[in-house]
Amino acid sequence: MAEPDPRRWKALALLCAANFMVILDSQIVLLAVPSIQRGLGLAASGAQWVLSAYLLGFGGLLLLGGRAADLAGRRRTFLAGTVLFLVASLACGLAWTGGALIGARVLQGLSAALMAPSALSIVTATFGEGPERHRAIAVWGGVGGFGGTAALLAGGPLTDVLGWRAIFFLNVPVAALLLVLGPLLLAESRGAARAYDPAGAASVTLAVTAAVFGVVRAPEEGWTSPWTAGAFAVAVLAGAAFVRAESRSAAPLVPLRTFRSRTLTGGNAVTFAAATAVFGTSFAVSQYAQGVLGYSPLVFGFATAVLPVAAVAGSYAAQAALGRWAVRPVAVAGLAVMAAGCLALGRVTAGAGYAPGLLPGLALLGFGLGTCGVAGSVAALAGSADGDAGLASGINTASFQLGGAFGVAAASTAVASWTDGTGPAALTAGFRGAFDVSAGIALAGALVAGVLLAAPARRTVPEPEQVRVK
């Protein structure tokens, strides 16, 4: 039996820094959008694309990025993505027009689609199955949960003190450090040698990109508008073409047998539901705190500090729980706690103070997110062989990003539907509706996870990690 790599914990710290940076950048612009809009003279629709462009690039290429890591080499793919991320972040910070910024954000998303799945697949290749891998994934999940919520904490102060360009320049030294230390700490690995699958790559990229486009445009255009309906129709047709291509390919990008694993499917359902609930709730909380309670971005950033702290606590609690219990009760409990946090926020009033109004819900939401991040990742990666680690990581990361995009869209739609007027009470009613919708999504995710993770995972690939799911 091979000795564990003595550099593995230092490598994990490096990879977690990359994960934090990638997840942070998907949401950090949320509080900076008004400043970007004023600085570059963007219309409201153009300002929205500063956020959406990253999601399009990230979500559209994730599966291809994951498989590229398996075929071309995980360390090589990770470092290539990091170089691209550094260049794109620099371009974002130096953008002179709205169009230049949106284009750079697309490039930033594409680079993240190479970095994120290759980093997680390096984690699974570096740590052997069992408690040590669970511990590593707990750290990974905790950092991811922290990054997903720290965007609200960091975005406001950075924008207020240093200006909106600082949120992009922040990435440059971090990416440079990754490029210096990556070759020293990360071992190269890859999956079984296979040819590329251009038909599968093109169809799945089109399907995911069209789905993300439809979701991010739905709140503005309407869920039944020609733009939205057309995007979803393209996604369905491209998805059907993808299934057909994969069923006929001798070397498919995504072997269809992958989705026969109940553990993998259930883990990704947990990830999707958790991302939907937390992104939708975070969007509504930021609007409520600033629009109704009158918080400045700086004050709001400090007010939400409880969210990332609770997420880290939840991830370590999940790691400890998985040493005693199966993944199913841990995942279901995490989603239930998230739902409780959303329901607590759904009781806020126009004059609520921080401690009785926001604090309990944010703490519960963060703790549940940390728990779900670990349980979802462990389950999703358990049914994959080492040769498919990059693919499984790409699917799991795609589930998180698609869930996040859907969550913001669902919350935006709920706010518009429940708001009847312009006063604080009317606005609060809209935000409460968004919190309740997020709670419903988290509960639905708990039910789905309870069903999918109820039976032992079917062995669909050679030598998968054994995870208890009952």
Side-chain angles (χ1 to χ4, degrees):
M1 183 176 180
E3 289 294 322
D5 189 335
R7 305 169 298 173
R8 62 192 184 282
W9 294 108
K10 294 178 181 178
L12 177 64
L14 186 74
L15 295 169
C16 283
N19 184 39
F20 176 84
M21 184 171 64
V22 165
I23 298 299
L24 183 79
D25 265 63
S26 66
Q27 289 294 298
I28 195 171
V29 302
L30 190 63
L31 297 182
V33 164
S35 297
I36 294 172
Q37 190 173 356
R38 290 191 300 270
L40 297 179
L42 283 171
S45 58
Q48 172 63 29
W49 276 106
V50 176
L51 177 64
S52 301
Y54 184 87
L55 294 175
L56 275 177
F58 198 176
L61 267 293
L62 266 170
L63 293 184
L64 184 58
R67 182 49 93 194
D70 287 332
L71 297 176
R74 291 158 186 157
R75 185 180 70 174
R76 179 182 300 172
T77 303
F78 172 76
L79 294 176
T82 303
V83 170
L84 191 59
F85 197 86
L86 188 155
V87 172
S89 297
L90 192 60
C92 286
L94 296 174
W96 60 97
T97 65
L101 177 58
I102 291 170
R105 285 285 284 171
V106 172
L107 187 63
Q108 200 177 36
L110 296 177
S111 62
L114 295 175
M115 291 175 65
S118 57
L120 184 53
S121 63
I122 292 173
V123 172
T124 61
T126 302
F127 291 88
E129 61 181 73
E132 191 169 82
R133 180 181 288 180
H134 289 174
R135 194 175 305 119
I137 292 178
V139 175
W140 172 274
V143 170
F146 185 82
T149 54
L152 303 178
L153 171 65
L158 277 174
T159 302
D160 273 2
V161 176
L162 299 177
W164 64 265
R165 296 181 187 274
I167 66 177
F168 300 116
F169 287 140
L170 177 69
N171 296 328
V172 175
V174 179
L177 184 65
L178 295 176
L179 291 173
V180 171
L181 297 180
L184 301 176
L185 297 178
L186 305 179
E188 184 61 282
S189 62
R190 54 171 49 88
R194 292 193 183 108
Y196 281 94
D197 175 20
S203 56
V204 75
T205 299
L206 178 60
V208 175
T209 302
V212 173
F213 179 85
V215 166
V216 299
R217 296 298 293 166
E220 182 177 340
E221 301 287 344
W223 288 91
T224 59
S225 72
W227 273 105
T228 307
F232 288 143
V234 170
V236 170
L237 292 174
F242 169 70
V243 172
R244 181 180 177 85
E246 299 308 272
S247 65
R248 296 185 170 193
S249 175
L253 176 72
V254 182
L256 297 181
R257 57 178 168 75
T258 302
F259 298 103
R260 298 193 190 109
S261 169
R262 293 172 66 97
T263 301
L264 182 143
T265 306
N268 285 305
V270 171
T271 300
F272 180 89
T276 300
V278 76
F279 276 69
T281 302
S282 296
F283 169 81
V285 165
S286 68
Q287 300 298 310
Y288 165 74
Q290 294 180 85
V292 176
L293 301 182
Y295 288 6
S296 69
L298 182 63
V299 171
F300 176 69
F302 287 116
T304 55
V306 64
L307 236 176
V309 172
V312 172
S315 69
Y316 280 100
Q319 188 270 325
L322 288 173
R324 297 186 175 187
W325 296 295
V327 70
R328 179 194 182 197
V330 177
V332 171
L335 285 167
V337 171
M338 291 189 73
C342 294
L343 289 173
L345 290 169
R347 310 283 74 79
V348 296
T349 64
Y354 174 70
L358 293 179
L359 181 59
L362 291 175
L364 288 170
L365 182 69
F367 189 87
L369 174 65
T371 303
C372 291
V374 175
S377 295
V378 167
L381 298 175
S384 67
D386 288 341
D388 291 326
L391 172 63
S393 302
I395 294 172
N396 189 242
T397 309
S399 298
F400 186 84
Q401 291 301 318
L402 291 174
F406 182 76
V408 173
S412 300
T413 303
V415 170
S417 300
W418 266 278
T419 301
D420 185 17
T422 57
L427 293 173
T428 301
F431 297 130
R432 288 174 61 166
F435 297 141
D436 289 341
V437 167
S438 294
I441 291 171
L443 287 175
L447 291 174
V448 171
V451 172
L452 290 177
L453 299 177
R458 295 175 59 184
R459 181 168 295 187
T460 58
V461 289
E463 301 300 331
E465 178 187 349
Q466 298 301 303
V467 173
R468 293 177 298 156
V469 294
K470 287 187 177 179

